[in-house]
Amino acid sequence: MSAQSANLRLEMDGQVAHLLIDRADKRNAFNMEMWQAMSGLLDQVERNAEARVLVLRAAESGAFCAGADIKELLANKDDADWRSANQAAINQVQHKLARLDMPTIAWVEGDCVGGGCGLALACDMRLATDKARFGITPAKLGLVYPLHDVKLLVDLVGPGQARRMLYTGVLHDAEEAQRIGLIEQVTDSPDEAIAALLSASPHSIRESKRMIRFVLDGQAEENEETAEMFARAFTMPDFAEGTEAFVEKRTPDFGE
């Protein structure tokens, strides 16, 4: 599947991969080509040995993503094959993004609506400026939000707030979004969060992300795999460096 799109691009800044949404004239609305290209770009990030953090953001300050390209949806609304392929592409992106083998940040500077909010939900953390607005608006269009996205929403804000957002389609400002747990922080820049992630153990972050995913997917009891994940950490270079730095009262250097 092609990872090329005029409206998406991947840029590396040291150990930070920036996945840029670049369709400002359409408020960064996603079409089928973009969903298909994003899947390939996420594969590229996963294969990049230098990448330790992924930041999903708009290429230009303003709207993060207004959701689906409604004109494209209307043009294909009677084509069952197109609708099926489009939904499969969306599901694939959401699944990959939620399970990417590194921490992910959605950096939101403007409107984050519908499918755009779904992209933010699939990231590990959502950081936003005070100009950001969040909403899930299928109820205003007579549509239904996909199950995977609904689960991500409920996992974050609980069923009550999820119902309020889904039933009404209202937009929340950044302060309200933080209050209900939709975003983690209102800030002028994601740099502090990125620096904190880069200073921590990559192994610890990666395995913690896996553990959290197990819990979110319904696992409540230890099994052989999770017990091994815990035990294996004691044999890893990150543990040796972390404990040595602790004893020596210095900042650990976990390298690349």
Side-chain angles (χ1 to χ4, degrees):
M1 184 175 293
S2 173
Q4 300 300 316
S5 171
N7 305 124
L8 290 171
R9 66 178 185 272
L10 190 61
E11 295 183 356
M12 291 298 301
D13 179 12
Q15 296 173 310
V16 183
H18 293 268
L19 208 168
L20 302 169
I21 310 170
D22 194 4
R23 201 186 184 202
D25 60 322
K26 300 295 184 182
R27 299 180 63 239
N28 287 335
F30 262 64
N31 56 25
M32 167 93 87
E33 178 196 37
M34 292 169 71
W35 288 116
Q36 292 175 333
M38 187 167 177
S39 181
L41 291 172
L42 291 174
D43 289 339
Q44 286 184 27
V45 174
E46 192 108 69
R47 292 193 299 265
N48 189 324
E50 294 184 4
R52 284 183 51 190
V53 177
L54 172 68
V55 180
L56 178 62
R57 62 195 303 169
E60 299 180 22
S61 179
F64 174 79
C65 176
D69 185 326
I70 301 301
K71 287 186 178 180
E72 183 183 60
L73 285 179
L74 288 173
N76 293 279
K77 65 182 179 64
D78 299 320
D79 185 339
D81 290 339
W82 184 91
R83 294 199 313 268
S84 178
N86 187 60
Q87 191 56 51
I90 294 171
N91 288 344
Q92 185 177 54
V93 165
Q94 296 290 71
H95 191 275
K96 285 184 178 181
L97 184 56
R99 293 158 180 79
L100 200 69
D101 193 26
M102 67 186 67
T104 56
I105 295 174
W107 170 236
V108 182
E109 300 177 83
D111 285 354
C112 180
V113 181
C117 199
L119 284 170
L121 291 171
C123 291
D124 294 324
M125 289 180 276
R126 286 142 297 280
L127 310 179
T129 70
D130 58 8
K131 295 181 176 60
R133 297 192 303 171
F134 298 83
I136 300 174
T137 54
K140 294 183 178 296
L141 299 171
L143 296 173
V144 178
Y145 215 43
L147 178 62
H148 185 263
D149 298 50
V150 171
K151 182 183 187 309
L152 293 174
L153 178 65
V154 173
D155 286 340
L156 270 182
V157 304
Q161 294 292 355
R163 292 185 185 104
R164 180 165 73 110
M165 293 185 71
L166 290 167
Y167 294 179
T168 67
V170 298
L171 295 182
H172 298 303
D173 63 21
E175 181 181 358
E176 173 69 359
Q178 184 177 28
R179 187 189 71 79
I180 66 175
L182 186 65
I183 67 174
E184 280 64 53
Q185 186 179 14
V186 180
T187 180
D188 293 330
S189 168
D191 291 350
E192 185 177 347
I194 293 170
L197 290 170
L198 292 177
S199 70
S201 158
H203 180 77
S204 293
I205 292 176
R206 183 169 53 251
E207 298 298 81
S208 293
K209 181 168 182 172
R210 290 180 63 200
M211 288 284 197
I212 291 168
R213 176 51 51 192
F214 290 152
V215 172
L216 292 175
D217 288 344
Q219 184 172 335
E221 301 293 335
E222 197 85 74
N223 62 15
E224 184 177 345
E225 182 177 7
T226 58
E228 171 58 23
M229 288 166 64
F230 175 80
R232 186 168 59 246
F234 290 92
T235 71
M236 300 297 291
D238 281 10
F239 174 72
E241 169 60 17
T243 52
E244 183 176 315
F246 178 82
V247 171
E248 296 175 356
K249 295 182 171 56
R250 62 173 174 82
T251 301
D253 179 7
F254 293 111
E256 300 183 5

